[in-house]
Structures are given as C-alpha cells and as structure tokens.
Amino acid sequence: MPDTSPAPARYRGLTARDLALVAVFAALLAVLSMPFAIPVGPVPITLQTLGVMLAPAILGAKRGTLSVLTFLALVLAGLPLLPGGRGGVEPFVGPTGGYMLGWVAGALVIGLLSSAFMAKYRFWGGFFCNIAGGIGVVYLVGVPWTAVYTGDALVATVLGVGVFLPGDLVKAVLAAAIAAAVHRAYPVPPAGRRVEAAPAAGEGAGSTGQNEENGAGARNGTD
C-alpha cells in the first residue's frame, strides 16, 4: 500500500517579513549593547548575550544567526554600537573578538537544537539550548581567544567562568521565558517561502496508470 501521509513542508529563501525580523533583532542587539556595561578586565559584562539567545530562540536558526551577523557587520562597518561607542575592526581583533565570533556559532546552535528537539518551544528545553549554544559554544570560542590575547589562561578562565557565568545563566533563563511567552502568544512562522513537495514516483505512476485505464474504458464504451 502506498504511503499517503503528507510530505513535511519545506521552506526556501527569505521573505520580506523575514528580512524585517532580522533587522528588528539586529536593532535589539544594538539596544542591549548600549545602556549597560560593567568593565571587568579586558572583557566587559553586557546584556548582549541576552539578545544572542533571544534571536534564534524566537526566529529560528537561519534568521537568528543572520540577526547576529547583521549586527556584527554594522559594528565592523564602523557604527559605534558596542559599549563605550566602539566600532570598526578593533573590537574583533581585541580581547572581545572571540566572544563576538562565538555569538554567531552560538546562535546557530541554539536555533538548530531548538528545532531538532522541540516541536513546540518549551521553557526548559529552550533553557538548555541557551546553555549549550549561548554559554557553552560562546565560551568555547571566547575563553581561548582571550587567553591568547592576554597571554594568561588563568585570567581568561576566571573571567569566563567566575565572572560571566552567573549572569549568563540568568540571561539564559530570561531568554527562555521570553521566547516561550512569544511562541505562545504569537507563533512566528518558519523562515522562507513554502515549497510544495513533488508527488512521489509511485504515486505519479499510479495516477498515470489509472488515467490511462479510465481512458481505455471510455474508448471501449464508444466502440
């Protein structure tokens, strides 16, 4: 018996709505970068990681990662969007560069894990995704980068684990709670345009055979 279950929906590209959402969350990252920064050694404490977690948790892997990339591109272009009005190339080659590059990988991991393990977004699932991507992956890139830049692995580890971790855990909770509330109140559609799946080979052959049989019967009836 042929499988008549519908094929899963596929989506390609980005729509104007998707691009608008990417721009909104890139702007959110910029807003979270401005008002709050506590200088702690070479890397300040900011709210930026909250935005890095929120974007993929709400928008998914593709749009969430593009939001982070858009923000970083604006910074690289020289816009003073980082704490202290910094922008340009310098932040990327300084002690914060590893964390900033880690945001991209972290956002991608959060989005992929969320879609892979949660049919519907849930707080606890989102919280663990935020820990894996928004903390684990970001630290995996940021801590060694800072260690190489400062020449002191102990300072980099203390900064990452002892100073940043408590606040980042709070941000992971907040991001999961906000994302869960958004998904309940206004489920965000998937990224891209829906692509209709082509009929399976067996299904197409069966339809063709049935049509030929009907046509032959009709001709026989007129003879």
Side-chain angles (χ1 to χ4, degrees):
M1 179 179 294
D3 184 9
T4 58
S5 58
R10 295 186 302 162
Y11 296 85
R12 290 181 181 174
L14 291 171
T15 65
R17 177 193 62 208
D18 295 328
L19 296 177
L21 289 172
V22 167
V24 167
F25 275 80
L28 176 63
L29 271 167
V31 170
L32 292 173
S33 300
M34 297 293 190
F36 180 83
I38 299 176
V40 180
V43 183
I45 297 175
T46 70
L47 293 175
Q48 292 163 324
T49 315
L50 176 60
V52 172
M53 296 177 186
L54 273 176
I58 294 176
L59 301 182
K62 181 190 292 187
R63 292 173 299 196
T65 305
L66 284 175
S67 298
V68 177
L69 284 171
T70 300
F71 171 76
L72 293 179
L74 294 174
V75 172
L76 185 61
L79 271 66
L81 300 178
L82 295 176
R86 294 179 303 135
V89 178
E90 186 273 332
F92 290 90
V93 298
T96 61
Y99 287 98
M100 295 168 66
L101 296 177
W103 292 349
V104 179
L108 180 62
V109 168
I110 291 172
L112 292 176
L113 289 178
S114 298
S115 62
F117 294 105
M118 291 186 290
K120 291 185 178 181
Y121 194 93
R122 294 289 184 267
F123 170 80
W124 284 111
F127 173 65
F128 288 115
C129 290
N130 291 340
I131 290 178
I135 297 178
V137 173
V138 173
Y139 284 28
L140 190 63
V141 181
V143 171
W145 183 294
T146 305
V148 170
Y149 183 87
T150 61
D152 193 331
L154 179 60
V155 170
T157 303
V158 169
L159 280 174
V161 178
V163 177
F164 297 137
L165 184 58
D168 285 341
L169 287 172
V170 174
K171 296 171 197 172
V173 171
L174 288 175
I178 295 171
V182 170
H183 281 288
R184 282 196 304 268
Y186 179 71
V188 180
R193 297 177 179 83
R194 184 184 178 98
V195 178
E196 297 297 335
E203 181 182 347
S207 299
T208 303
Q210 184 178 1
N211 290 337
E212 291 177 352
E213 182 180 348
N214 291 340
R219 288 193 298 273
N220 291 336
T222 58
D223 288 344

